[in-house]
Amino acid sequence: MTPVTAILFDLDGTLVDSARGIHAALNEVLTTLTGHGCSIDDVRRWVGNGPEKLVERGLYSHGYEDDASRAHALFREAYQRTLMQADIYPGVIKGLATLQHQGLRLACITNKSSHFTGTFLAELGLASFFERVLCGDEVERPKPDPQSLVQVCAEFGIEPAAAIMVGDSENDLKPAHAIGMRGIAVGYGYHGNVPLEAFHPLAIVDHFEAVIELCLAAANASP
């Protein structure tokens, strides 16, 4: 096994439970446009492919067939107000600090819009852990396409086999598996009831401390 030198993290549902803020914004938009809101469980199923897809899934669920451009603009405005209604998962700060202290290179690869991500990471105190942050609107083909994972590896000067992708859904694990990168699945995130075993992660874990243990073991493995 190639020793690991970099860990790539998804953001929403992996490092941070951001569902409250996303739900507040989307519920406002759907109520305004359709007269019907959505539940936070709906949001947990719909999130993962960026804000445009999220909004469109919400509109589709209510049979809304008009141009979605107004809905996208309304969501962008609403989410700017609700963005920080989010909670860092237990163990994340300590875990990222441990990996960083061990000399591992850390990146955040998210489908969250770059319009929100910088502020989000900074306000939560997570920005300083990441050497690279790559958002879904900064690549031609965001996750689940592997383009963003390949790009970060190229920037780090490593092969995909020398990195681990940590995520909560098919969008994270599928592209990693496709390029020969190891993956770790967190079972507590937003995976829409898709069985994560299908994407052959090293493990499916229920707490972030286990992620750190697996990453350190892979980093210290003999070639």
Side-chain angles (χ1 to χ4, degrees), residues 34-108:
T34 73
H36 301 283
C38 63
S39 71
I40 197 166
D41 288 334
D42 291 331
V43 166
R44 292 182 190 277
R45 289 196 305 272
W46 296 337
V47 76
N49 297 96
E52 287 80 13
K53 288 290 186 183
L54 169 73
V55 170
E56 288 163 12
R57 285 168 181 154
L59 294 174
Y60 179 80
S61 74
H62 293 316
Y64 185 89
E65 297 180 356
D66 294 348
D67 183 3
S69 58
R70 183 184 175 212
H72 293 153
L74 288 173
F75 179 80
R76 187 182 178 104
E77 189 277 329
Y79 192 43
Q80 196 70 53
R81 290 184 276 105
T82 66
L83 177 65
M84 298 315 303
Q85 294 180 29
D87 303 288
I88 302 173
Y89 287 114
V92 166
I93 295 285
K94 181 179 179 181
L96 293 178
T98 297
L99 296 179
Q100 190 178 59
H101 181 72
Q102 291 296 316
L104 288 162
R105 304 176 75 179
L106 308 183
C108 178

Side-chain angles (χ1 to χ4, degrees), residues 125-149:
L126 297 176
S128 63
F129 292 114
F130 298 111
E131 181 176 341
R132 182 70 164 99
V133 176
L134 187 59
C135 300
D137 58 342
E138 296 175 321
V139 293
E140 182 181 353
R141 301 181 306 278
K143 299 181 298 181
D145 189 280
Q147 180 184 357
S148 52
L149 282 69

Side-chain angles (χ1 to χ4, degrees), residues 10-34:
D10 173 52
L11 179 54
D12 297 305
T14 299
L15 301 176
V16 180
D17 185 356
S18 51
R20 287 191 297 122
I22 296 172
H23 171 252
L26 184 60
N27 189 62
E28 178 180 319
V29 172
L30 294 180
T31 301
T32 298
L33 295 180
T34 73

